Amino acid sequence: MKRAAIALAALLFAGPALADTLLDNVDGLTLDEKGQVQRLTGIVFSADGRIVQVLKRGDKRPARTDYYIDGKGRVLMPGLIDAHVHVMDIGIAAMTLDLSGTKSLAEAQAAIARFAAQHPERKWIIGRGWNQEQWKLGRFPTAAELDSVVKDRPVWLGRVDGHAGWANSAALAAAGVTAATKDPAGGRIERGAAGQPSGVLVDNAMALVDRQVPKPRPAERDLALDKAQDLLASKGVTAVADMGTTIEDWQALRRAGDSGRLRIRVMSYAAGIDAMALIGGSAPGPWLYDDRLRLNGVKLYMDGALGSRGAALKAPYADAPGNRGLSLLSPAQVRNLMSRAAMDGFQVAVHAIGDDANAQVLDAVSELNETYKGDRRWRIEHAQVVDPADLARFGKLGVIASMQPVHQTSDRLMAEARLGPSRLSGAYSWKSIAASGGVLALGSDAPVESPEPFAGLAAAISRQGPDGQPFGGWQPQERLSREAALAGFTTGGAYAGLAETRFGRLAPGMRADFLLVDRDPLLSSPSELAQTRVLETWVGGRKVWSAPAPGGSEGR
């Protein structure tokens, strides 16, 4: 009798338990497959984190669900996708010295001295975020200026864009960088009048010091990943494209997935062909952890950055005659690397900032399209300065433009100085690329910029900085509509990451990734939009972050 009862119980509970949740009484919005805005007042999602039903005003509610959440009239919108971040760097930046807020060299020096004094146990002082343009220095900082505050151990500080590093004399000595050291291919050692290294190394020259820096231990990487996820979720980011995933990064992501600590979605692009092969083997793998992780492809670098004059231009820099920047790959090299990835089905994302670099990548795609048919979804990361004659090629060649709106507002004055007036018409040309048929995937490039998608949305629709300047917007003809900007941070980001059938919209069958926020992003002015407060962040039907109550602390 007892055995019969057990068997009956097993039959009764053999099927999956129903655990649908109705989130009702919301002022909701999403984009449909055609990019049109759809309004909604509730959603039903299942225990496995998928949307079952989208409810509009007047729709009959389900007769029975297991759980009910009153949205209290708050605004519901899709979770936002940041199409270009460096996940591990976000977390490591939170654990090391951050100079991004410094306004002068003296302020940076004080911060460096203070950090070194607080951490006498650290053998190297590591950090990032300095920007000589923000300091209005008119030149790069020097090793001597670092030595004046820390000379007892090596100091190595990345520029805000990650394309230059500032070393003190101890770091240069540890790396063996002297007046006799030659500039590596695709890199530059800044030098004094006598040829001695002055303290800043640009692009590929950074590796001379990088390889001497102690690498984070696995436990430190795990902590960095947790910190990065907390920050991203608090900003309303539910999915990211991680640009430049190393094998160590991948192992940290897998450890997080295995232990249930991977809370946001990560579309990974390996840090070069070797890392791609090491992580992915002979082909991209499946989605893991309920669509939270996948190696999509590889990240390559065509040039450097505008701020360090490493972006490859067709004509010399306006403020540095004779300097056209740095091409990190030859035309033959970029074709070979792109082909190596494409032949195994990996998606290719190429960093290109200058107009020459963008033209070179577009030329490569034009040739490779003849060999590699089908849905390749080639990506250009940044596409900041494009020859106007090349803008239409994005749509013609099916190239996704992965761009960061806040770069335009941060870089405006610097870009004017670097490019001169004649080249500005092709700078940060979001609307022109979209008009050509190119898909826009928008992001932040965090930690280069803060991972705040609402600030990115505000910049995209206004082309104005947080100070409201310039009046009317910079190159205002390139402003995006609110709907196009929202698409760039949702459906465009999902499409660019080969995930448009999984997340990015609120629709039946899609993952229940959504936000509750304090205002409607489609009805807010740019300044109001930038100040949007995220109240709750949900990924896969689970709350992963909530805003702190007054006097309380934030929660997961």
Side-chain angles (χ1 to χ4, degrees):
M1 184 71 181
K2 187 175 181 180
R3 286 185 178 179
I6 292 173
L8 178 60
L11 287 172
L12 290 173
F13 294 102
L18 296 176
D20 285 353
T21 299
L22 169 62
L23 171 57
D24 205 3
N25 186 26
V26 294
D27 183 9
L29 63 102
T30 189
L31 299 176
D32 63 19
E33 290 178 295
K34 298 180 180 179
Q36 300 299 309
V37 176
Q38 300 295 321
R39 293 286 175 174
L40 54 116
T41 57
I43 59 172
V44 178
F45 54 91
S46 60
D48 67 354
R50 296 182 187 276
I51 296 174
V52 175
Q53 190 175 2
V54 174
L55 300 165
K56 298 184 177 182
R57 194 176 306 279
D59 286 350
K60 185 178 180 181
R61 269 43 188 169
R64 177 183 174 274
T65 57
D66 296 88
Y67 301 101
Y68 175 84
I69 300 172
D70 182 359
K72 300 178 181 179
R74 294 175 293 180
V75 174
L76 172 79
M77 62 182 293
L80 296 172
I81 300 171
D82 193 316
H84 188 117
V85 302
H86 308 277
V87 172
M88 202 60 66
D89 288 347
I90 294 172
I92 290 174
M95 299 161 59
T96 55
L97 176 59
D98 181 8
L99 296 175
S100 60
T102 58
K103 303 298 182 184
S104 68
L105 173 60
E107 187 179 339
Q109 288 173 309
I112 295 163
R114 186 166 54 250
F115 187 87
Q118 292 169 347
H119 298 281
E121 78 289 354
R122 299 197 181 188
K123 295 180 179 180
W124 282 66
I125 299 300
I126 304 300
R128 60 164 305 282
W130 60 270
N131 185 349
Q132 82 280 7
E133 299 295 327
Q134 187 167 279
W135 297 344
K136 297 180 171 56
L137 199 58
R139 59 172 175 82
F140 280 132
T142 66
E145 287 162 336
L146 267 184
D147 293 342
S148 69
V149 291
V150 181
K151 60 182 179 182
D152 63 332
R153 51 193 148 150
V155 180
W156 180 233
L157 306 168
R159 192 180 183 277
V160 64
D161 56 16
H163 286 268
W166 178 22
N168 69 350
S169 295
L172 293 173
V177 177
T178 68
T181 305
K182 295 182 179 180
D183 289 354
R188 184 174 68 247
I189 301 170
E190 294 293 322
R191 302 176 189 270
Q196 75 280 11
S198 60
V200 168
L201 290 78
V202 179
D203 285 313
N204 285 353
M206 296 172 66
L208 298 172
V209 177
D210 278 337
R211 54 178 170 246
Q212 304 301 322
V213 178
K215 303 303 180 190
R217 298 187 300 270
E220 292 170 329
R221 289 185 182 276
D222 293 344
L223 178 58
L225 178 56
D226 283 344
K227 287 182 176 293
Q229 290 187 91
D230 285 343
L231 179 60
L232 291 163
S234 74
K235 304 299 183 183
V237 176
T238 56
V240 298
D242 184 40
M243 287 293 162
T245 309
T246 65
I247 182 61
E248 294 84 2
D249 297 340
W250 181 259
Q251 289 169 333
L253 290 163
R254 290 300 304 264
R255 286 194 296 272
D258 290 343
S259 61
R261 293 182 296 105
L262 191 56
R263 301 187 298 280
I264 65 169
R265 306 191 189 280
V266 179
M267 301 166 282
S268 173
Y269 294 80
I273 294 294
D274 290 344
M276 178 195 80
L278 190 59
I279 296 169
S282 60
W287 285 92
L288 304 170
Y289 313 116
D290 296 327
D291 294 342
R292 279 181 169 80
L293 179 65
R294 184 177 188 258
L295 176 69
N296 280 353
V298 65
K299 165 80 176 299
L300 305 174
Y301 284 89
M302 193 67 208
D303 66 347
L306 205 59
S308 50
R309 297 187 183 87
L313 301 179
K314 292 183 175 182
Y317 281 82
D319 60 354
N323 181 9
R324 291 176 50 190
L326 294 169
S327 292
L328 306 186
L329 297 170
S330 70
Q333 286 173 324
V334 74
R335 284 162 174 75
N336 287 340
L337 293 173
M338 293 173 72
S339 182
R340 169 65 183 83
M343 69 173 58
D344 284 341
F346 290 98
Q347 188 186 14
V348 177
V350 187
H351 165 116
I353 288 182
D355 54 4
D356 185 63
N358 277 282
Q360 292 288 349
V361 178
L362 290 167
D363 287 346
V365 170
S366 181
E367 290 186 22
L368 293 174
N369 274 346
E370 297 300 314
T371 301
Y372 300 104
K373 305 297 184 180
D375 187 8
R376 291 290 168 174
R377 300 195 196 181
W378 312 99
R379 295 175 59 137
I380 291 183
E381 304 303 312
H382 308 305
Q384 286 180 208
V385 184
V386 180
D387 186 327
D390 289 328
L391 290 170
R393 300 176 73 193
F394 281 82
K396 180 180 178 182
L397 297 173
V399 175
I400 295 164
S402 172
M403 306 179 78
Q404 299 76 45
V406 177
H407 278 339
Q408 180 269 305
T409 55
S410 296
D411 294 353
R412 174 175 62 90
L413 297 177
M414 179 268 290
E416 290 175 350
R418 297 287 187 272
L419 301 174
S422 63
R423 282 180 286 194
L424 296 180
S425 61
Y428 314 90
S429 299
W430 315 320
K431 190 172 183 179
S432 293
I433 290 175
S436 79
V439 173
L440 295 180
L442 303 181
S444 68
D445 200 12
V448 174
E449 303 279 0
S450 178
E452 300 194 30
F454 291 99
L457 285 163
I461 66 173
S462 69
R463 292 177 75 91
Q464 293 174 305
D467 58 358
Q469 295 300 315
F471 179 77
W474 189 80
Q475 302 287 327
Q477 72 277 6
E478 294 294 344
R479 288 180 299 201
L480 296 175
S481 68
R482 283 169 170 76
E483 293 79 6
L486 181 59
F489 278 102
T490 54
T491 55
Y495 176 85
L498 307 170
E500 72 276 12
T501 62
R502 299 170 187 272
F503 50 86
R505 298 183 294 116
L506 301 180
M510 304 288 277
R511 293 291 182 181
D513 300 351
F514 58 86
L515 311 177
L516 291 169
V517 297
D518 69 344
R519 66 200 69 188
D520 189 324
L522 299 182
L523 300 177
S524 302
S525 68
S527 60
E528 292 170 341
L529 181 55
Q531 297 301 314
T532 299
R533 182 168 178 254
V534 178
L535 305 175
E536 295 180 10
T537 302
W538 292 65
V539 177
R542 295 181 182 274
K543 189 192 299 184
V544 298
W545 188 86
S546 60
S553 60
E554 65 187 48
R556 293 182 185 173

PDB file of all heavy atoms in Angstrom, residues 116-142:
ATOM      1  N   ALA A 116      48.494  54.888  -3.291  1.00  0.00           N
ATOM      2  CA  ALA A 116      49.714  54.150  -2.960  1.00  0.00           C
ATOM      3  C   ALA A 116      49.901  54.068  -1.450  1.00  0.00           C
ATOM      4  O   ALA A 116      50.303  53.025  -0.918  1.00  0.00           O
ATOM      5  CB  ALA A 116      50.915  54.808  -3.620  1.00  0.00           C
ATOM      6  N   ALA A 117      49.601  55.168  -0.753  1.00  0.00           N
ATOM      7  CA  ALA A 117      49.742  55.175   0.704  1.00  0.00           C
ATOM      8  C   ALA A 117      48.740  54.243   1.364  1.00  0.00           C
ATOM      9  O   ALA A 117      49.042  53.623   2.401  1.00  0.00           O
ATOM     10  CB  ALA A 117      49.561  56.598   1.229  1.00  0.00           C
ATOM     11  N   GLN A 118      47.556  54.110   0.763  1.00  0.00           N
ATOM     12  CA  GLN A 118      46.523  53.236   1.315  1.00  0.00           C
ATOM     13  C   GLN A 118      46.808  51.762   1.057  1.00  0.00           C
ATOM     14  O   GLN A 118      46.222  50.901   1.705  1.00  0.00           O
ATOM     15  CB  GLN A 118      45.159  53.609   0.723  1.00  0.00           C
ATOM     16  CG  GLN A 118      44.638  54.968   1.165  1.00  0.00           C
ATOM     17  CD  GLN A 118      43.429  55.412   0.344  1.00  0.00           C
ATOM     18  OE1 GLN A 118      43.128  54.827  -0.710  1.00  0.00           O
ATOM     19  NE2 GLN A 118      42.751  56.450   0.808  1.00  0.00           N
ATOM     20  N   HIS A 119      47.700  51.472   0.093  1.00  0.00           N
ATOM     21  CA  HIS A 119      47.964  50.087  -0.300  1.00  0.00           C
ATOM     22  C   HIS A 119      49.466  49.812  -0.333  1.00  0.00           C
ATOM     23  O   HIS A 119      50.042  49.497  -1.394  1.00  0.00           O
ATOM     24  CB  HIS A 119      47.343  49.796  -1.674  1.00  0.00           C
ATOM     25  CG  HIS A 119      45.853  49.942  -1.698  1.00  0.00           C
ATOM     26  ND1 HIS A 119      44.997  48.982  -1.210  1.00  0.00           N
ATOM     27  CD2 HIS A 119      45.062  50.961  -2.129  1.00  0.00           C
ATOM     28  CE1 HIS A 119      43.747  49.392  -1.358  1.00  0.00           C
ATOM     29  NE2 HIS A 119      43.757  50.590  -1.904  1.00  0.00           N
ATOM     30  N   PRO A 120      50.106  49.880   0.831  1.00  0.00           N
ATOM     31  CA  PRO A 120      51.558  49.640   0.863  1.00  0.00           C
ATOM     32  C   PRO A 120      51.937  48.210   0.490  1.00  0.00           C
ATOM     33  O   PRO A 120      53.078  47.939   0.127  1.00  0.00           O
ATOM     34  CB  PRO A 120      51.926  49.955   2.314  1.00  0.00           C
ATOM     35  CG  PRO A 120      50.662  49.739   3.091  1.00  0.00           C
ATOM     36  CD  PRO A 120      49.567  50.178   2.167  1.00  0.00           C
ATOM     37  N   GLU A 121      50.952  47.282   0.570  1.00  0.00           N
ATOM     38  CA  GLU A 121      51.244  45.877   0.296  1.00  0.00           C
ATOM     39  C   GLU A 121      51.298  45.558  -1.193  1.00  0.00           C
ATOM     40  O   GLU A 121      51.790  44.488  -1.596  1.00  0.00           O
ATOM     41  CB  GLU A 121      50.181  44.997   0.959  1.00  0.00           C
ATOM     42  CG  GLU A 121      48.839  44.893   0.243  1.00  0.00           C
ATOM     43  CD  GLU A 121      47.976  46.168   0.288  1.00  0.00           C
ATOM     44  OE1 GLU A 121      48.368  47.129   0.983  1.00  0.00           O
ATOM     45  OE2 GLU A 121      46.912  46.192  -0.362  1.00  0.00           O
ATOM     46  N   ARG A 122      50.805  46.445  -2.047  1.00  0.00           N
ATOM     47  CA  ARG A 122      50.746  46.172  -3.485  1.00  0.00           C
ATOM     48  C   ARG A 122      52.113  46.410  -4.128  1.00  0.00           C
ATOM     49  O   ARG A 122      52.670  47.504  -4.014  1.00  0.00           O
ATOM     50  CB  ARG A 122      49.662  47.010  -4.155  1.00  0.00           C
ATOM     51  CG  ARG A 122      48.271  46.713  -3.602  1.00  0.00           C
ATOM     52  CD  ARG A 122      47.172  47.207  -4.506  1.00  0.00           C
ATOM     53  NE  ARG A 122      45.861  46.916  -3.928  1.00  0.00           N
ATOM     54  CZ  ARG A 122      44.699  47.094  -4.564  1.00  0.00           C
ATOM     55  NH1 ARG A 122      44.692  47.573  -5.796  1.00  0.00           N
ATOM     56  NH2 ARG A 122      43.548  46.804  -3.963  1.00  0.00           N
ATOM     57  N   LYS A 123      52.590  45.392  -4.842  1.00  0.00           N
ATOM     58  CA  LYS A 123      53.905  45.498  -5.460  1.00  0.00           C
ATOM     59  C   LYS A 123      53.887  46.423  -6.676  1.00  0.00           C
ATOM     60  O   LYS A 123      54.912  47.011  -7.022  1.00  0.00           O
ATOM     61  CB  LYS A 123      54.410  44.108  -5.850  1.00  0.00           C
ATOM     62  CG  LYS A 123      54.662  43.199  -4.651  1.00  0.00           C
ATOM     63  CD  LYS A 123      55.174  41.829  -5.083  1.00  0.00           C
ATOM     64  CE  LYS A 123      55.443  40.950  -3.871  1.00  0.00           C
ATOM     65  NZ  LYS A 123      55.952  39.602  -4.266  1.00  0.00           N
ATOM     66  N   TRP A 124      52.773  46.501  -7.340  1.00  0.00           N
ATOM     67  CA  TRP A 124      52.558  47.435  -8.448  1.00  0.00           C
ATOM     68  C   TRP A 124      51.327  48.281  -8.116  1.00  0.00           C
ATOM     69  O   TRP A 124      50.364  47.773  -7.541  1.00  0.00           O
ATOM     70  CB  TRP A 124      52.291  46.696  -9.758  1.00  0.00           C
ATOM     71  CG  TRP A 124      53.496  46.121 -10.443  1.00  0.00           C
ATOM     72  CD1 TRP A 124      54.308  45.112  -9.990  1.00  0.00           C
ATOM     73  CD2 TRP A 124      54.006  46.506 -11.730  1.00  0.00           C
ATOM     74  NE1 TRP A 124      55.290  44.845 -10.905  1.00  0.00           N
ATOM     75  CE2 TRP A 124      55.128  45.688 -11.990  1.00  0.00           C
ATOM     76  CE3 TRP A 124      53.626  47.445 -12.678  1.00  0.00           C
ATOM     77  CZ2 TRP A 124      55.878  45.786 -13.164  1.00  0.00           C
ATOM     78  CZ3 TRP A 124      54.366  47.554 -13.859  1.00  0.00           C
ATOM     79  CH2 TRP A 124      55.481  46.739 -14.093  1.00  0.00           C
ATOM     80  N   ILE A 125      51.349  49.532  -8.521  1.00  0.00           N
ATOM     81  CA  ILE A 125      50.158  50.385  -8.461  1.00  0.00           C
ATOM     82  C   ILE A 125      49.553  50.394  -9.860  1.00  0.00           C
ATOM     83  O   ILE A 125      50.178  50.858 -10.827  1.00  0.00           O
ATOM     84  CB  ILE A 125      50.501  51.814  -8.014  1.00  0.00           C
ATOM     85  CG1 ILE A 125      51.103  51.808  -6.609  1.00  0.00           C
ATOM     86  CG2 ILE A 125      49.247  52.700  -8.059  1.00  0.00           C
ATOM     87  CD1 ILE A 125      50.202  51.225  -5.539  1.00  0.00           C
ATOM     88  N   ILE A 126      48.367  49.840  -9.950  1.00  0.00           N
ATOM     89  CA  ILE A 126      47.681  49.669 -11.236  1.00  0.00           C
ATOM     90  C   ILE A 126      46.410  50.516 -11.231  1.00  0.00           C
ATOM     91  O   ILE A 126      45.711  50.612 -10.224  1.00  0.00           O
ATOM     92  CB  ILE A 126      47.317  48.189 -11.463  1.00  0.00           C
ATOM     93  CG1 ILE A 126      48.559  47.311 -11.373  1.00  0.00           C
ATOM     94  CG2 ILE A 126      46.623  47.997 -12.810  1.00  0.00           C
ATOM     95  CD1 ILE A 126      49.618  47.644 -12.373  1.00  0.00           C
ATOM     96  N   GLY A 127      46.104  51.099 -12.381  1.00  0.00           N
ATOM     97  CA  GLY A 127      44.866  51.867 -12.494  1.00  0.00           C
ATOM     98  C   GLY A 127      44.613  52.275 -13.924  1.00  0.00           C
ATOM     99  O   GLY A 127      45.283  51.819 -14.856  1.00  0.00           O
ATOM    100  N   ARG A 128      43.634  53.136 -14.079  1.00  0.00           N
ATOM    101  CA  ARG A 128      43.242  53.557 -15.424  1.00  0.00           C
ATOM    102  C   ARG A 128      42.437  54.848 -15.328  1.00  0.00           C
ATOM    103  O   ARG A 128      42.099  55.303 -14.236  1.00  0.00           O
ATOM    104  CB  ARG A 128      42.385  52.489 -16.113  1.00  0.00           C
ATOM    105  CG  ARG A 128      41.087  52.169 -15.366  1.00  0.00           C
ATOM    106  CD  ARG A 128      40.091  51.433 -16.218  1.00  0.00           C
ATOM    107  NE  ARG A 128      39.795  52.135 -17.445  1.00  0.00           N
ATOM    108  CZ  ARG A 128      38.980  53.176 -17.534  1.00  0.00           C
ATOM    109  NH1 ARG A 128      38.361  53.643 -16.453  1.00  0.00           N
ATOM    110  NH2 ARG A 128      38.772  53.772 -18.681  1.00  0.00           N
ATOM    111  N   GLY A 129      42.110  55.405 -16.514  1.00  0.00           N
ATOM    112  CA  GLY A 129      41.142  56.491 -16.581  1.00  0.00           C
ATOM    113  C   GLY A 129      41.704  57.868 -16.804  1.00  0.00           C
ATOM    114  O   GLY A 129      40.940  58.825 -16.937  1.00  0.00           O
ATOM    115  N   TRP A 130      43.039  58.026 -16.867  1.00  0.00           N
ATOM    116  CA  TRP A 130      43.568  59.376 -17.063  1.00  0.00           C
ATOM    117  C   TRP A 130      43.290  59.872 -18.479  1.00  0.00           C
ATOM    118  O   TRP A 130      43.182  59.095 -19.417  1.00  0.00           O
ATOM    119  CB  TRP A 130      45.071  59.434 -16.755  1.00  0.00           C
ATOM    120  CG  TRP A 130      45.952  58.552 -17.596  1.00  0.00           C
ATOM    121  CD1 TRP A 130      46.316  57.267 -17.340  1.00  0.00           C
ATOM    122  CD2 TRP A 130      46.599  58.903 -18.829  1.00  0.00           C
ATOM    123  NE1 TRP A 130      47.136  56.773 -18.323  1.00  0.00           N
ATOM    124  CE2 TRP A 130      47.335  57.758 -19.253  1.00  0.00           C
ATOM    125  CE3 TRP A 130      46.633  60.040 -19.622  1.00  0.00           C
ATOM    126  CZ2 TRP A 130      48.092  57.748 -20.429  1.00  0.00           C
ATOM    127  CZ3 TRP A 130      47.384  60.025 -20.793  1.00  0.00           C
ATOM    128  CH2 TRP A 130      48.104  58.895 -21.185  1.00  0.00           C
ATOM    129  N   ASN A 131      43.192  61.166 -18.595  1.00  0.00           N
ATOM    130  CA  ASN A 131      42.866  61.776 -19.888  1.00  0.00           C
ATOM    131  C   ASN A 131      43.506  63.158 -19.949  1.00  0.00           C
ATOM    132  O   ASN A 131      43.032  64.105 -19.323  1.00  0.00           O
ATOM    133  CB  ASN A 131      41.351  61.878 -20.062  1.00  0.00           C
ATOM    134  CG  ASN A 131      40.944  62.381 -21.436  1.00  0.00           C
ATOM    135  OD1 ASN A 131      41.767  62.843 -22.214  1.00  0.00           O
ATOM    136  ND2 ASN A 131      39.659  62.300 -21.729  1.00  0.00           N
ATOM    137  N   GLN A 132      44.570  63.261 -20.684  1.00  0.00           N
ATOM    138  CA  GLN A 132      45.286  64.534 -20.765  1.00  0.00           C
ATOM    139  C   GLN A 132      44.440  65.629 -21.400  1.00  0.00           C
ATOM    140  O   GLN A 132      44.667  66.819 -21.154  1.00  0.00           O
ATOM    141  CB  GLN A 132      46.615  64.354 -21.527  1.00  0.00           C
ATOM    142  CG  GLN A 132      46.512  64.379 -23.049  1.00  0.00           C
ATOM    143  CD  GLN A 132      46.039  63.059 -23.646  1.00  0.00           C
ATOM    144  OE1 GLN A 132      45.660  62.148 -22.924  1.00  0.00           O
ATOM    145  NE2 GLN A 132      46.055  62.965 -24.973  1.00  0.00           N
ATOM    146  N   GLU A 133      43.449  65.242 -22.201  1.00  0.00           N
ATOM    147  CA  GLU A 133      42.544  66.242 -22.790  1.00  0.00           C
ATOM    148  C   GLU A 133      41.662  66.845 -21.707  1.00  0.00           C
ATOM    149  O   GLU A 133      41.432  68.060 -21.680  1.00  0.00           O
ATOM    150  CB  GLU A 133      41.690  65.593 -23.880  1.00  0.00           C
ATOM    151  CG  GLU A 133      42.476  65.017 -25.042  1.00  0.00           C
ATOM    152  CD  GLU A 133      43.205  66.078 -25.836  1.00  0.00           C
ATOM    153  OE1 GLU A 133      42.686  67.212 -25.943  1.00  0.00           O
ATOM    154  OE2 GLU A 133      44.292  65.774 -26.356  1.00  0.00           O
ATOM    155  N   GLN A 134      41.166  65.997 -20.811  1.00  0.00           N
ATOM    156  CA  GLN A 134      40.332  66.484 -19.713  1.00  0.00           C
ATOM    157  C   GLN A 134      41.142  67.360 -18.762  1.00  0.00           C
ATOM    158  O   GLN A 134      40.614  68.301 -18.159  1.00  0.00           O
ATOM    159  CB  GLN A 134      39.747  65.283 -18.952  1.00  0.00           C
ATOM    160  CG  GLN A 134      38.727  65.631 -17.894  1.00  0.00           C
ATOM    161  CD  GLN A 134      37.982  64.411 -17.409  1.00  0.00           C
ATOM    162  OE1 GLN A 134      37.038  63.953 -18.054  1.00  0.00           O
ATOM    163  NE2 GLN A 134      38.395  63.860 -16.287  1.00  0.00           N
ATOM    164  N   TRP A 135      42.426  67.064 -18.631  1.00  0.00           N
ATOM    165  CA  TRP A 135      43.299  67.872 -17.779  1.00  0.00           C
ATOM    166  C   TRP A 135      43.708  69.180 -18.442  1.00  0.00           C
ATOM    167  O   TRP A 135      44.347  70.031 -17.818  1.00  0.00           O
ATOM    168  CB  TRP A 135      44.575  67.096 -17.437  1.00  0.00           C
ATOM    169  CG  TRP A 135      44.377  65.845 -16.653  1.00  0.00           C
ATOM    170  CD1 TRP A 135      43.257  65.470 -15.957  1.00  0.00           C
ATOM    171  CD2 TRP A 135      45.322  64.786 -16.497  1.00  0.00           C
ATOM    172  NE1 TRP A 135      43.458  64.249 -15.369  1.00  0.00           N
ATOM    173  CE2 TRP A 135      44.718  63.795 -15.677  1.00  0.00           C
ATOM    174  CE3 TRP A 135      46.619  64.578 -16.947  1.00  0.00           C
ATOM    175  CZ2 TRP A 135      45.372  62.621 -15.322  1.00  0.00           C
ATOM    176  CZ3 TRP A 135      47.277  63.404 -16.597  1.00  0.00           C
ATOM    177  CH2 TRP A 135      46.662  62.439 -15.785  1.00  0.00           C
ATOM    178  N   LYS A 136      43.421  69.295 -19.771  1.00  0.00           N
ATOM    179  CA  LYS A 136      43.848  70.470 -20.559  1.00  0.00           C
ATOM    180  C   LYS A 136      45.367  70.646 -20.472  1.00  0.00           C
ATOM    181  O   LYS A 136      45.897  71.752 -20.360  1.00  0.00           O
ATOM    182  CB  LYS A 136      43.119  71.742 -20.098  1.00  0.00           C
ATOM    183  CG  LYS A 136      41.606  71.669 -20.318  1.00  0.00           C
ATOM    184  CD  LYS A 136      40.898  72.931 -19.865  1.00  0.00           C
ATOM    185  CE  LYS A 136      39.439  72.930 -20.296  1.00  0.00           C
ATOM    186  NZ  LYS A 136      38.688  71.746 -19.829  1.00  0.00           N
ATOM    187  N   LEU A 137      46.058  69.508 -20.553  1.00  0.00           N
ATOM    188  CA  LEU A 137      47.507  69.501 -20.417  1.00  0.00           C
ATOM    189  C   LEU A 137      48.214  69.871 -21.715  1.00  0.00           C
ATOM    190  O   LEU A 137      49.304  70.447 -21.692  1.00  0.00           O
ATOM    191  CB  LEU A 137      47.946  68.112 -19.950  1.00  0.00           C
ATOM    192  CG  LEU A 137      49.327  67.955 -19.326  1.00  0.00           C
ATOM    193  CD1 LEU A 137      49.468  68.853 -18.099  1.00  0.00           C
ATOM    194  CD2 LEU A 137      49.576  66.493 -18.953  1.00  0.00           C
ATOM    195  N   GLY A 138      47.597  69.509 -22.842  1.00  0.00           N
ATOM    196  CA  GLY A 138      48.207  69.835 -24.129  1.00  0.00           C
ATOM    197  C   GLY A 138      49.347  68.908 -24.509  1.00  0.00           C
ATOM    198  O   GLY A 138      50.040  69.146 -25.506  1.00  0.00           O
ATOM    199  N   ARG A 139      49.569  67.851 -23.736  1.00  0.00           N
ATOM    200  CA  ARG A 139      50.633  66.881 -23.994  1.00  0.00           C
ATOM    201  C   ARG A 139      50.350  65.639 -23.157  1.00  0.00           C
ATOM    202  O   ARG A 139      49.443  65.638 -22.325  1.00  0.00           O
ATOM    203  CB  ARG A 139      51.999  67.452 -23.600  1.00  0.00           C
ATOM    204  CG  ARG A 139      52.063  67.847 -22.114  1.00  0.00           C
ATOM    205  CD  ARG A 139      53.453  68.239 -21.656  1.00  0.00           C
ATOM    206  NE  ARG A 139      53.453  68.727 -20.280  1.00  0.00           N
ATOM    207  CZ  ARG A 139      53.476  67.953 -19.201  1.00  0.00           C
ATOM    208  NH1 ARG A 139      53.491  66.637 -19.324  1.00  0.00           N
ATOM    209  NH2 ARG A 139      53.493  68.469 -17.977  1.00  0.00           N
ATOM    210  N   PHE A 140      51.143  64.601 -23.373  1.00  0.00           N
ATOM    211  CA  PHE A 140      51.044  63.432 -22.518  1.00  0.00           C
ATOM    212  C   PHE A 140      51.771  63.692 -21.187  1.00  0.00           C
ATOM    213  O   PHE A 140      52.757  64.430 -21.147  1.00  0.00           O
ATOM    214  CB  PHE A 140      51.691  62.217 -23.186  1.00  0.00           C
ATOM    215  CG  PHE A 140      50.818  61.535 -24.210  1.00  0.00           C
ATOM    216  CD1 PHE A 140      51.325  61.210 -25.468  1.00  0.00           C
ATOM    217  CD2 PHE A 140      49.509  61.178 -23.917  1.00  0.00           C
ATOM    218  CE1 PHE A 140      50.538  60.559 -26.404  1.00  0.00           C
ATOM    219  CE2 PHE A 140      48.716  60.532 -24.840  1.00  0.00           C
ATOM    220  CZ  PHE A 140      49.230  60.226 -26.100  1.00  0.00           C
ATOM    221  N   PRO A 141      51.334  63.060 -20.101  1.00  0.00           N
ATOM    222  CA  PRO A 141      52.080  63.152 -18.841  1.00  0.00           C
ATOM    223  C   PRO A 141      53.385  62.360 -18.947  1.00  0.00           C
ATOM    224  O   PRO A 141      53.586  61.579 -19.887  1.00  0.00           O
ATOM    225  CB  PRO A 141      51.128  62.520 -17.824  1.00  0.00           C
ATOM    226  CG  PRO A 141      50.305  61.565 -18.636  1.00  0.00           C
ATOM    227  CD  PRO A 141      50.135  62.204 -19.985  1.00  0.00           C
ATOM    228  N   THR A 142      54.269  62.544 -17.990  1.00  0.00           N
ATOM    229  CA  THR A 142      55.600  61.944 -18.069  1.00  0.00           C
ATOM    230  C   THR A 142      55.878  61.007 -16.893  1.00  0.00           C
ATOM    231  O   THR A 142      55.217  61.069 -15.844  1.00  0.00           O
ATOM    232  CB  THR A 142      56.684  63.027 -18.084  1.00  0.00           C
ATOM    233  OG1 THR A 142      56.685  63.701 -16.814  1.00  0.00           O
ATOM    234  CG2 THR A 142      56.445  64.033 -19.196  1.00  0.00           C
TER     235      THR A 142
END
